[in-house]
Amino acid sequence: MVEKDSTARTRELGHRMKAFRQRRHFSGADVSRRNGWLQSKVTRWEQGLRELSVVDAALYLATCGEAEPERDLLLELTQAGNDLYWVRPYFDELVDPMKSLMIQENLAHTIVRYESLTLPGTLQTEPYARTTYELIGNRGQAQLDQIVHARMERQKLLQRDRPPRCRFYVHERALRSVIGGPRVMHEQLLHLVLSANLPYCSIRIVPETNEVSRTIENSFTIMEFTEHPAVVYTDSYAAGVFIDDRVAVEAYYSLVARLESDSLTEEKSRQMLAEWADRYDRMEE
């Protein structure tokens, strides 16, 4: 197999392979020795730096004692397709786009997020997140509980000893959009005020007057890694998409630069967040 830059798909495949192996108490050397592979090959598979064929994936799984759910998922991840645009559908029982996003976020050292309509998922309170998914309306109660729990689990990323540097660009309309009522919004805005004071968390408000933001319909995330190229994640009602195309990624960086030039400073953004928290507090009275 030819060596190449990692992609979101190969990184997730490697992450899941390694986790599966470790749960079965096998070392990388065990897997290499039993299959006559160089240990460096297994290491690069698990780092997402080398393509893995279906045959090699089957041998890897058989060595570790395959289990049907892991087998089906890992074999699905070996299907390359168009790696530059990797689609993770929400309505496929085998695919969990939220888990895919969590894996990439936990590997990243820097996360840049633009939100056009709602507040950033990694900064949402549980009531706000639940109401948001209820309004979308594309999940039953069991799935709703599961995805809200997953969103709360994502926030553990920011509780690590060394969390990634996070820059959030939030459109002003997201502050004005009432989700769950004044009390939910009051608690949510207070949470953002507190988050904005964390040393690794920057929140910039994109004002209504920003002309560039009027042409950006979808929210997106840019994730940067120490050993891998940056990747962009964006989602819609039906699917999440990881974008590894270098030209497209650079285009998203250009969007961020234009958003930043007209965004409020961090200090003014914190002031606006506090003002909106106070407004929602007075609405409850």
Side-chain angles (χ1 to χ4, degrees), residues 6-16 47-48 77 86 88 96-111 154 157 160 164 221-226 228-233 241-244:
S6 72
T7 64
R9 179 186 61 82
T10 60
R11 286 194 295 276
E12 178 171 346
L13 174 59
H15 174 89
R16 289 182 181 273
Q47 291 175 338
L77 286 169
W86 189 41
R88 309 301 281 155
D96 183 353
M98 186 68 72
K99 178 64 175 178
S100 297
L101 179 57
M102 289 173 65
I103 288 172
Q104 303 302 319
E105 287 178 332
N106 277 279
L107 291 171
H109 64 69
T110 300
I111 297 173
R154 275 179 66 199
L157 173 78
R160 296 184 336 202
T221 302
I222 302 175
M223 289 167 280
E224 299 175 349
F225 310 89
T226 302
H228 310 295
V231 65
V232 171
Y233 177 82
V241 181
F242 290 94
I243 303 171
D244 283 283

Side-chain angles (χ1 to χ4, degrees), residues 117-119 124-136 174-189 280 283-284:
L117 296 174
T118 60
L119 299 172
Q124 290 180 3
T125 62
E126 194 276 340
Y128 184 96
R130 180 171 295 278
T131 306
T132 300
Y133 283 119
E134 287 174 346
L135 292 171
I136 294 173
L175 307 184
R176 300 175 181 275
S177 299
V178 181
I179 294 178
R183 176 169 296 182
V184 170
M185 292 301 297
H186 170 63
E187 293 176 355
Q188 176 63 76
L189 268 295
Y280 286 119
M283 287 182 193
E284 293 183 63

